[in-house]
């Protein structure tokens, strides 16, 4: 029996990790995204999805297939009171490489194509994270689990059903992180330049947030390497590579970036924008009361785009990283910064292009949380009694906070109870 088990383990190790990820991805999608189809529904949201995303994709398909009788670079009187099609389409689909695949679907299969592209974006988000994780020294099973945590995070589930093109930043952020690693290790700026160009072409709004996240990643990784082996860091060459990557990325993206920025800067949304952070010093009380129950459940409040919804394993991993602060200093600091940032509308407004305090930047938090999961999974065989006491105490504290913020009751949805059941199951 032992020989058979060891043989099967060796055989599974020969299977490429991306194939294991692909098989697991298909299985999870069958368990989740197939439910709307079985109920006779689609993945097209009945608000912005049917009013904005689906119609603009339909028009884009007609342009690509040559049935619209007009060019993407022309003027259309069918857009509001008349508008330039390039700058109108740029925010949603022109810069998204997946949008062009809609040309492969017949016009009567547009609805199917829309939904297939959602799953394809989601799949590629996991592939991008897996490529980044493969550059780190984690075990195969921790990389697979971390990739699944990243792919099927609450943020990804939410935006895939509401704003599918919001999945693009989840693909690009690991690519930017890989570019940073190339700069720091080999002083090769080209991967970072290509990822920068893709970010700027796909969506300038998220490119701003990605720039903030990439800067934090670059700073923390640079300080880490400087602490470990400062003699191996050619500072001047690193600065040159970063500047070269940014300038090259800007020039490559200029054909769509600059016309779109000019159009946006002259739009009514910019001319008559609201006060910075909507004039808030703090969020409303209900925002803070909703936080504890949103950490590991699927419940989401729509106000201020507070989409957390990490699973129980990610919660335990974050607690473990914070407990072992010295061993995981950079990651622990980032997790604390994320926690504080969620509490302050000024931070969210700054991350949201200096406007309203929307937490759309939270997609940046998924990568460090998934990194914490990989660290935690690899350390499971080495957990001490002190670690277990801390994890159990944190779980009890979380449930107590939910009880308090729910008015001293545990009146939560059934799916939330299942999430807490999984959390306790992980502990057991």
């Amino acid at each position: 029996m032992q020989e058979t088990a060891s043989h099967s383990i060796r055989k599974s190790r020969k299977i490429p990790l991306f194939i294991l990820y692909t098989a697991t991805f298909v299985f999870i999608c069958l368990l989740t995204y197939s439910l709307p189809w079985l109920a006779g529904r689609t993945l097209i949201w009945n608000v912005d999805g049917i009013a904005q995303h689906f119609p603009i994709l339909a028009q884009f398909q007609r342009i690509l297939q040559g049935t619209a009788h007009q060019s993407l670079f022309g003027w259309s009187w069918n857009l509001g009171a008349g508008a330039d099609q390039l700058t109108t389409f740029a925010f949603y689909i022109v810069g998204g490489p997946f949008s062009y695949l809609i040309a492969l679907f017949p016009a009567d299969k547009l609805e199917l194509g829309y939904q297939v592209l959602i799953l394809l974006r989601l799949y590629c988000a996991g592939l991008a994270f897996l490529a980044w994780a493969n550059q780190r020294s984690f075990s195969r099973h921790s990389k697979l689990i971390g990739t699944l945590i990243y792919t099927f995070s609450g943020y990804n589930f939410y935006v895939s059903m509401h704003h599918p093109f919001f999945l693009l930043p989840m693909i690009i952020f690991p690519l930017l992180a890989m570019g940073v690693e190339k700069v720091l290790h080999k002083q090769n700026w080209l991967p970072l330049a290509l990822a920068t160009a893709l970010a700027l072409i796909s969506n300038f709004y998220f490119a701003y947030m990605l720039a903030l996240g990439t800067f934090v990643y670059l700073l923390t990784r640079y300080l880490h390497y400087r602490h470990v082996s400062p003699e191996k860091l050619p500072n001047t060459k690193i600065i040159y590579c970063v500047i070269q990557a940014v300038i090259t990325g800007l020039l490559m993206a200029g054909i769509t970036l600059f016309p779109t920025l000019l159009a946006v800067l002259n739009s009514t949304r910019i001319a008559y924008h609201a006060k910075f952070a909507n004039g808030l010093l703090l969020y409303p009380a209900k925002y803070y009361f909703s936080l504890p129950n949103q950490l590991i459940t699927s419940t989401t409040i729509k106000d201020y785009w507070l989409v957390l919804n990490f699973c129980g394993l990610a919660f335990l991993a974050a607690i473990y990283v914070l407990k072992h602060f010295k061993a995981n200093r950079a990651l622990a600091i980032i997790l604390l910064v994320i926690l504080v940032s969620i509490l302050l509308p000024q931070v969210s407004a700054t991350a949201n292009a200096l406007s309203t305090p929307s937490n759309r930047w939270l997609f940046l938090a998924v990568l460090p949380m998934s990194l914490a999961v990989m660290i935690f999974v690899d350390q499971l065989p080495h957990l001490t009694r002190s670690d277990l006491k801390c994890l159990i105490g944190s779980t009890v504290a979380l449930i107590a906070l939910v009880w308090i913020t729910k008015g001293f009751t545990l009146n939560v949805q059934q799916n939330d109870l299942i999430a807490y059941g999984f959390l306790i199951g992980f502990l057991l």
Side-chain angles (χ1 to χ4, degrees):
M1 287 291 291
Q2 290 180 349
E3 291 180 0
T4 304
S6 61
H7 175 72
S8 61
I9 291 173
R10 287 195 301 269
K11 189 175 180 179
S12 66
R13 286 177 178 172
K14 294 180 181 178
I15 301 176
L17 203 52
F18 81 92
I19 293 181
L20 294 176
Y21 161 68
T22 301
T24 312
F25 176 87
V26 171
F27 176 71
I28 295 176
C29 285
L30 289 175
L31 291 178
T32 53
Y33 287 92
S34 62
L35 295 179
W37 293 332
L38 293 174
R41 297 178 178 272
T42 69
L43 301 181
I44 304 174
W45 188 27
N46 61 357
V47 184
D48 285 354
I50 197 64
Q52 297 182 36
H53 311 325
F54 189 76
I56 202 170
L57 189 64
Q59 178 67 6
F60 192 59
Q61 184 194 53
R62 289 192 288 269
I63 291 174
L64 293 177
Q65 294 179 346
T67 60
H69 306 295
Q70 58 188 118
S71 167
L72 179 63
F73 300 98
W75 184 273
S76 174
W77 293 107
N78 297 324
L79 301 173
D84 169 37
Q85 288 194 136
L86 175 63
T87 57
T88 303
F89 286 13
F91 187 82
Y92 289 107
I93 57 175
V94 167
F98 299 94
S99 301
Y100 294 86
L101 298 178
I102 199 64
L104 301 177
F105 292 86
D108 59 344
K109 299 295 183 182
L110 178 63
E111 186 177 290
L112 173 64
Y114 181 98
Q115 297 173 87
V116 169
L117 292 182
I118 290 177
L119 299 182
L120 183 59
R121 291 185 185 99
L122 194 65
Y123 174 73
C124 289
L127 278 186
F129 180 87
L130 183 59
W132 171 79
N134 280 333
Q135 295 184 336
R136 313 294 290 269
S137 57
F138 293 106
S139 63
R140 281 168 54 87
H141 60 274
S142 67
K143 290 178 183 178
L144 179 60
I145 294 173
T147 301
L148 294 174
I149 293 292
Y150 185 85
T151 306
F152 295 103
S153 64
Y155 183 93
N156 281 356
F157 265 124
Y158 183 82
V159 300
S160 66
M161 300 290 286
H162 294 83
H163 305 281
F165 61 94
F166 281 18
L167 288 169
L168 278 177
M170 298 294 293
I171 301 172
I172 299 172
F173 191 38
L175 300 180
L176 288 166
M178 291 171 61
V180 167
E181 297 293 341
K182 291 292 184 183
V183 168
L184 294 176
H185 286 287
K186 299 182 179 180
Q187 288 76 58
N188 181 5
W189 55 266
L190 185 57
L192 182 58
L194 293 174
T196 301
L198 179 59
L200 292 169
I201 291 173
S202 63
N203 192 291
F204 66 90
Y205 171 68
F206 281 107
Y208 171 83
M209 301 182 201
L210 286 167
L212 296 177
T214 305
F215 173 75
V216 172
Y217 184 88
L218 171 63
L219 182 62
T220 54
R221 294 298 285 169
Y222 172 81
L223 293 176
H224 170 73
Y225 290 130
R226 186 176 179 83
H227 176 73
V228 174
S229 53
E231 69 281 355
K232 295 183 179 180
L233 283 177
N235 296 334
T236 303
K237 195 166 185 180
I238 288 175
I239 294 173
Y240 165 79
C241 287
V242 171
I243 294 175
Q244 183 72 21
V246 172
I247 293 176
T248 305
L250 282 169
L251 293 176
M252 293 173 68
I255 190 171
T256 59
L257 175 64
F258 296 118
T260 306
L261 281 178
L262 288 174
V264 170
L265 292 174
N266 291 300
S267 69
T268 55
R269 283 195 174 190
I270 297 297
Y272 303 101
H273 65 276
K275 293 182 179 179
F276 173 73
N278 289 0
L280 296 174
L281 293 177
L282 293 172
Y283 287 110
K286 70 173 185 177
Y287 174 93
Y288 297 104
F289 284 133
S290 71
L291 275 171
N293 191 48
Q294 287 196 87
L295 285 177
I296 68 168
T297 69
S298 59
T299 297
T300 300
I301 63 168
K302 296 180 180 180
D303 298 342
Y304 307 106
W305 259 80
L306 184 63
V307 184
L308 297 172
N309 314 127
F310 299 107
C311 71
L313 182 60
F315 170 76
L316 296 176
I319 296 299
Y320 176 85
V321 168
L322 292 173
K323 182 179 184 297
H324 295 269
F325 191 91
K326 290 184 178 179
N328 307 282
R329 188 185 302 273
L331 179 57
I333 291 174
I334 288 177
L335 294 180
L336 290 175
V337 168
I338 291 171
L339 178 61
V340 173
S341 300
I342 292 172
L343 304 177
L344 301 174
Q346 294 81 8
V347 175
S348 295
T350 301
N352 195 38
L354 304 176
S355 59
T356 59
S358 173
N359 288 291
R360 288 196 180 106
W361 63 271
L362 277 173
F363 74 90
L364 296 170
V366 183
L367 187 142
M369 288 294 290
S370 302
L371 174 59
V373 169
M374 291 193 293
I375 293 173
F376 180 61
V377 170
D378 276 351
Q379 293 301 318
L380 282 177
H382 311 292
L383 292 182
T384 64
R385 185 181 297 271
S386 174
D387 292 332
L388 293 174
K389 287 182 179 179
C390 180
L391 296 175
I392 293 172
S394 300
T395 300
V396 172
L398 175 63
I399 295 175
L401 274 175
V402 173
W403 177 66
I404 293 171
T405 55
K406 287 288 184 180
F408 302 99
T409 67
L410 286 177
N411 184 22
V412 296
Q413 299 179 15
Q414 288 184 353
N415 53 316
D416 291 353
L417 292 175
I418 294 174
Y420 292 114
F422 274 115
L423 174 60
I424 297 172
F426 284 134
L427 280 176
L428 294 176

